Amino acid sequence: MIEIKGLVKRFGDFTAVDGVSFGVARGEVLGFLGPNGAGKSTTMKMITGFLTPTAGSAMVCGHDVAKHPVLVKQAIGYLPEGAPAYPDMTPESFLGFIADIRGLRGPDRKRRIDQVVSRVHLEGVMRQSIDTLSKGYKRRVGLAAAILHDPEVLIMDEPTDGLDPNQKHEVRTLIQEMSATKAIILSTHILEEVDAVCTRAVIIARGRIVADGTPETLRARSRHHNAVAITVRTGGRSDAIGAVRAELQRLNNVLGVEDASIHDGRASFVIMPKSGATILADVSQLARSKGWDVDELRLEPGRLDEVFRTITQPAGAGARRTLAREGGAE
Amino acid sequence: MSSAVSTNTESTRASAAAAPGPLTGTWTIMRRELGGYFLTPVAYVFIVIFLLVTGVFTFQLGGFFEAGQADLRSFFSFHPWLYLFLVPAVSMRLWSEERKQGTIELLLTLPITLGAAVLGKFLAAWAFAGIALLLTFPIWITVNYLGKPDNGVILAAYIGSFLLAGGFLAIGSAISAITRNQVIAFVITVVICFGFLLSGHPVVLSVLSGWAPQALVDAITGFSFLTRFDAIAKGVIDLRDLIYFATLIALALFATAVIVDAKKGA
């Protein structure tokens, strides 16, 4: 449905997007991640035909956006960052305008407007001017406008940014409901959102794609992938804490033990495995044989935020961080 | 071979989606935009001020009654100077506001061409100016009640005034595309329109006529709104004057499209 190849955008000397390529199929929800200024919005603006690429191409539903921008724009529903809408209009007149410009006529027009209005729950505010609406409602108006023509491709720039947890949940549910029949791209800063709605994540940094895969495969790149977290009641005695740590470190396949925190007489550790090893059984057996009073024992699936940080930061900063953490574990 | 196939699928898809034509796009944009003027007090304030000031100019400064003539020359002679300040107040928001509110990204990702958007917005502003102009009809009724004016000349002057407003608006549209600051758009538009007006003013012409070659004087006069407007307002609708305004509007709108396209990423 979406096929972009070698997309480049330069603003003067600054290269905002530097050779980005990926494809999105129907049924996929692609989470577009990256630090601020990484080029997420710029990439989306090129796919939607708002910005002209310096080089490369974007195909949507078989149409090249550079050659047939209007056909591409017909196929896409786009929610720009901040969900801009004409503030003096009411949702009713605004959606009417979008319907007219999308070529919806007669009973079809009314049916589609009624459908999206009930879908995003705008019924109560249809005759209020948009600038008097709360942020959550404004976002819903933008979403309603984006999905009004039931587009095959939906592109959303930070659809949940600035919403409260309930509103975020609603928007995510809506995206999930639509995902089966559409190709969806959404950008986000929120890593939990990737788990909640995305089937695939692309991480972009300084204009280039640095990771592309399912949330699970990305998480597997984390240092914490297959690490074991354990909390033991030690009564707060420092010699007992030290003993536990020493025992854990003595295990085969254990690279190191980190993050000891002591709370109400409980000590928590994260035990890092040597690469590729699984150590949960070993740790569990050790705890049983030593008769530790274990509060919690858990396998870490990996941390997306850590993967995000390590691959989006310049190499120097990442290395320094790793050194500091290993120093603390000694 | 492959290109023929892709063209085929394109046309079937386009017809299935009931693609709105370019005119539909322009028309829809124009309707929204014109409706937008009346959603805020701006439109009403503008119309009231326009009517008040034309009234004051015509009757007080213009000496409408004192002249004792059944025509509207005193009414129309102030239009260029009135438009100089009122029209930029309408045109300044055309594109500045879209950029400031971020709605330009919405507008230009709708399935319309940039040309349709530029034209639709301009036509809305022009129609709005036309509405304000039509609302001066009591003056026309007055002059017909008091005497027997040449209504053909009055109609020509109305057309001339409308074309003049269109010329100012088209220039204002291009300026408005340059900046997201409406005040700056207003000031620059006033200055540029002032230049267009003044290039035919007797003051400028007398300064030039002493030394400048006649061709230059003619060229500068040819650029003037004032000369063209005066000619039409006398009841002579010359095709060349119509072509002048049409060309000026077309060029300014083309410039608007180029500037919007160049600036949208910034």
Side-chain angles (χ1 to χ4, degrees):
Chain A
M1 302 285 279
I2 304 170
E3 203 57 57
I4 72 173
K5 284 202 189 93
L7 219 47
V8 175
K9 182 70 187 175
R10 289 195 196 93
F11 298 104
D13 289 340
F14 174 66
T15 305
V17 174
D18 192 4
V20 166
S21 307
F22 61 82
V24 188
R26 190 190 297 274
E28 260 191 308
V29 180
L30 184 135
F32 212 26
L33 302 169
N36 285 328
K40 303 187 295 284
S41 291
T42 308
T43 304
M44 292 178 143
K45 283 172 186 178
M46 287 192 279
I47 302 173
T48 54
F50 181 66
L51 293 179
T52 315
T54 311
S57 69
M59 306 278 287
V60 178
C61 296
H63 304 298
D64 187 334
V65 68
K67 292 188 190 115
H68 303 285
V70 174
L71 289 177
V72 167
K73 288 168 185 177
Q74 269 168 24
I76 293 181
Y78 177 40
L79 179 71
E81 189 174 356
Y86 294 103
D88 296 325
M89 296 179 98
T90 63
E92 190 175 38
S93 57
F94 180 66
L95 293 178
F97 162 66
I98 300 289
D100 288 342
I101 218 148
R102 293 277 182 197
L104 295 168
R105 295 280 175 274
D108 198 33
R109 177 179 188 270
K110 190 181 164 354
R111 188 179 54 83
R112 281 303 303 168
I113 292 179
D114 289 348
Q115 260 176 17
V116 298
V117 165
S118 70
R119 191 152 203 186
V120 302
H121 307 296
L122 280 174
E123 295 92 345
V125 298
M126 284 301 275
R127 303 202 167 178
Q128 244 173 286
S129 74
I130 290 174
D131 64 350
T132 64
L133 297 180
S134 69
K135 210 168 183 177
Y137 271 117
K138 277 183 193 160
R139 193 62 50 94
R140 289 187 222 177
V141 171
L143 261 172
I147 62 175
L148 188 60
H149 57 302
D150 196 16
E152 294 192 71
V153 171
L154 190 56
I155 296 179
M156 291 170 284
D157 200 348
E158 299 190 7
T160 61
D161 180 49
L163 300 184
D164 71 33
N166 294 335
Q167 294 165 337
K168 279 184 180 150
H169 180 73
E170 272 180 42
V171 171
R172 286 174 197 161
T173 311
L174 187 70
I175 294 170
Q176 270 166 338
E177 283 169 12
M178 293 186 297
S179 62
T181 56
K182 300 183 195 308
I184 299 178
I185 301 181
L186 62 92
S187 74
T188 181
H189 289 299
I190 310 161
L191 294 157
E192 54 177 288
E193 200 151 289
V194 176
D195 279 321
V197 294
C198 299
T199 60
R200 197 173 135 207
V202 165
I203 303 182
I204 181 173
R206 295 174 302 280
R208 292 169 177 277
I209 290 181
V210 289
D212 181 350
T214 62
E216 290 73 35
T217 56
L218 287 183
R219 208 180 273 112
R221 295 170 62 162
S222 163
R223 296 170 58 245
H224 286 87
H225 182 57
N226 283 340
V228 172
I230 188 169
T231 305
V232 182
R233 283 178 191 268
T234 54
R237 299 194 320 275
S238 58
D239 53 332
I241 297 168
V244 169
R245 184 192 288 129
E247 292 285 354
L248 287 169
Q249 232 147 14
R250 217 169 293 142
L251 279 173
N252 278 335
N253 287 332
V254 165
L255 187 68
V257 178
E258 315 187 331
D259 290 341
S261 79
I262 298 137
H263 258 301
D264 302 330
R266 295 187 186 92
S268 303
F269 305 92
V270 175
I271 309 141
M272 310 296 290
K274 285 180 180 153
S275 88
T278 43
I279 52 167
L280 181 62
D282 297 347
V283 174
S284 157
Q285 209 184 352
L286 177 72
R288 229 174 302 130
S289 69
K290 296 286 171 188
W292 291 339
D293 189 357
V294 176
D295 254 13
E296 192 194 10
L297 181 65
R298 154 172 70 81
L299 186 68
E300 290 243 10
R303 296 176 185 178
L304 268 183
D305 61 337
E306 186 197 68
V307 175
F308 180 84
R309 268 200 314 269
T310 43
I311 65 184
T312 58
Q313 269 170 348
R320 225 176 301 128
R321 188 180 303 275
T322 314
L323 280 178
R325 197 178 285 141
E326 267 156 18
E330 287 302 311
Chain B
M1 190 60 196
S2 64
S3 69
V5 171
S6 70
T7 325
N8 246 339
T9 51
E10 250 156 44
S11 56
T12 47
R13 191 181 282 282
S15 59
L23 283 179
T24 322
T26 307
W27 174 241
T28 310
I29 296 289
M30 177 186 161
R31 269 197 348 224
R32 192 214 74 75
E33 193 77 10
L34 188 57
Y37 287 120
F38 292 97
L39 287 177
T40 60
V42 175
Y44 303 100
V45 169
F46 177 89
I47 288 177
V48 166
I49 288 180
F50 178 72
L51 295 178
L52 273 178
V53 176
T54 46
V56 168
F57 275 15
T58 308
F59 295 110
Q60 303 298 320
L61 295 171
F64 174 75
F65 293 118
E66 291 79 354
Q69 284 189 3
D71 61 29
L72 286 181
R73 191 160 300 174
S74 58
F75 166 66
F76 286 112
S77 63
F78 289 106
H79 280 201
W81 305 105
L82 204 53
Y83 286 159
L84 182 58
F85 292 100
L86 287 180
V87 167
V90 174
S91 68
M92 67 182 186
R93 58 195 291 284
L94 277 175
W95 290 98
S96 306
E97 199 162 73
E98 295 275 353
R99 285 181 56 203
K100 199 171 165 202
Q101 291 169 351
T103 44
I104 189 164
E105 198 173 340
L106 174 89
L107 180 69
L108 297 184
T109 51
L110 291 172
I112 51 165
T113 59
L114 177 57
V118 169
L119 188 62
K121 285 172 86 69
F122 165 75
L123 287 178
W126 206 12
F128 177 68
I131 290 169
L133 195 57
L134 282 179
L135 287 175
T136 60
F137 71 91
I139 285 186
W140 174 72
I141 291 177
T142 307
V143 76
N144 270 280
Y145 175 76
L146 292 174
K148 284 249 168 287
D150 184 341
N151 281 321
V153 173
I154 291 176
L155 180 66
Y158 265 113
I159 291 171
S161 175
F162 186 55
L163 286 173
L164 185 68
F168 278 9
L169 279 172
I171 293 170
S173 163
I175 307 297
S176 167
I178 293 174
T179 169
R180 68 181 64 209
N181 185 324
Q182 295 194 22
V183 177
I184 293 175
F186 176 84
V187 172
I188 296 179
T189 308
V190 169
V191 169
I192 290 185
C193 288
F194 188 59
F196 268 93
L197 266 186
L198 219 61
S199 65
H201 196 269
V203 174
V204 176
L205 292 183
S206 65
V207 167
L208 287 173
S209 62
W211 52 274
Q214 191 58 35
L216 181 65
V217 178
D218 287 348
I220 288 174
T221 316
F223 259 112
S224 165
F225 279 180
L226 217 50
T227 324
R228 305 276 175 183
F229 173 67
D230 280 347
I232 298 178
K234 281 183 187 122
V236 189
I237 301 186
D238 190 325
L239 187 63
R240 279 172 300 177
D241 294 332
L242 295 184
I243 291 173
Y244 168 77
F245 278 112
T247 311
L248 181 96
I249 289 171
L251 282 176
L253 292 186
F254 180 72
T256 307
V258 170
I259 295 167
V260 169
D261 197 47
K263 283 242 161 191
K264 65 191 176 183

